[in-house]
Amino acid sequence: MNELPVDKGTRVTLHFALKFSDGEVIDSTFEKEPATLEIGDDNLPENFEAYLMGMTAGQRNSFEVPPEKGFGQHNPNNVQTFKRHEFSADMVLEPGVMISFADARQQELPGVVRRVEGDEVEVDFNHPLAGRTLTFEVEIIDVEPAGPAH
C-alpha cells in the first residue's frame, strides 16, 4: 500500500458521492466502478480537489461543502426573461425543462425554464446546485504519480 498523499501531479482512484444535506444522492460511484482522475485536470472542480489534498489510499472522509466552495451562490442576474417567439414553435417550454443556449463565445450555456406566463419565458442560468450546501463523501483507493502528460 503506498503512502503517497494526494497532491498536484498525482493520479487518484477514488469513490465519491455528492449529496444534498438531507442525504439525497446527486451523484455517486460507490455502487459502480471507482473514478480515476489527475489532480488539476479539471475533472473535479478545483474547490472539490482542495478537499482531497493530503489524503492517502485507504482514507475515507466526508466534507460539508458550503455554496461558495461548491457551485456558488444563486445569482438573480443569471435569471433572464425571453419572449415566447424567440424559441422554436415546437419547443416544449414548461418549468423544469432544460434548454441549451450558445453564449457570445459559442460555448454551450444550459438554462432551466422557471416560469412561462403569456408571451414571457423566464430562464435560470444558475448552476442547478448553486446556493446549496452539499456533502462530499470520498474514499481514496489509490494515489500514484501522474505520468507525463499525453
Side-chain angles (χ1 to χ4, degrees), residues 91-101 110-116 121-126 128:
M91 189 178 239
V92 176
L93 292 175
E94 54 191 41
V97 170
M98 187 177 266
I99 302 173
S100 213
F101 293 81
V112 176
V113 176
R114 290 248 311 243
R115 187 175 63 79
V116 180
V121 180
E122 192 177 89
V123 180
D124 187 348
F125 291 101
N126 283 290

Side-chain angles (χ1 to χ4, degrees), residues 9-143:
T10 57
R11 181 180 294 115
V12 184
T13 302
L14 76 165
H15 275 301
F16 74 90
L18 199 55
K19 304 174 180 176
F20 289 123
S21 38
D22 66 6
E24 183 191 337
V25 176
I26 302 161
D27 192 9
S28 171
T29 64
F30 281 100
E31 300 73 42
K32 302 183 285 216
E33 287 293 302
T36 299
L37 54 101
E38 281 187 27
I39 297 298
D41 69 0
D42 290 340
N43 264 327
L44 260 188
E46 208 176 308
N47 294 337
F48 286 94
E49 282 186 352
Y51 288 106
L52 304 178
M53 294 301 181
M55 288 181 75
T56 54
Q59 285 190 316
R60 187 173 180 149
N61 211 333
S62 185
F63 305 97
E64 186 171 285
V65 183
E68 49 280 3
K69 288 212 161 127
F71 295 94
Q73 292 291 358
H74 190 271
N75 181 347
N77 296 335
N78 291 343
V79 178
Q80 296 179 15
T81 303
F82 298 89
K83 295 283 181 223
R84 175 67 182 98
H85 66 260
E86 294 178 56
F87 299 94
S88 66
D90 58 357
M91 189 178 239
V92 176
L93 292 175
E94 54 191 41
V97 170
M98 187 177 266
I99 302 173
S100 213
F101 293 81
D103 68 14
R105 297 188 308 280
Q106 294 307 305
Q107 297 288 316
E108 194 177 312
L109 188 65
V112 176
V113 176
R114 290 248 311 243
R115 187 175 63 79
V116 180
E117 217 166 272
D119 191 35
E120 288 195 346
V121 180
E122 192 177 89
V123 180
D124 187 348
F125 291 101
N126 283 290
H127 189 285
L129 299 175
R132 303 289 297 257
T133 294
L134 306 169
T135 301
F136 182 44
E137 211 171 284
V138 186
E139 181 181 358
I140 305 292
I141 295 164
D142 193 24
V143 182

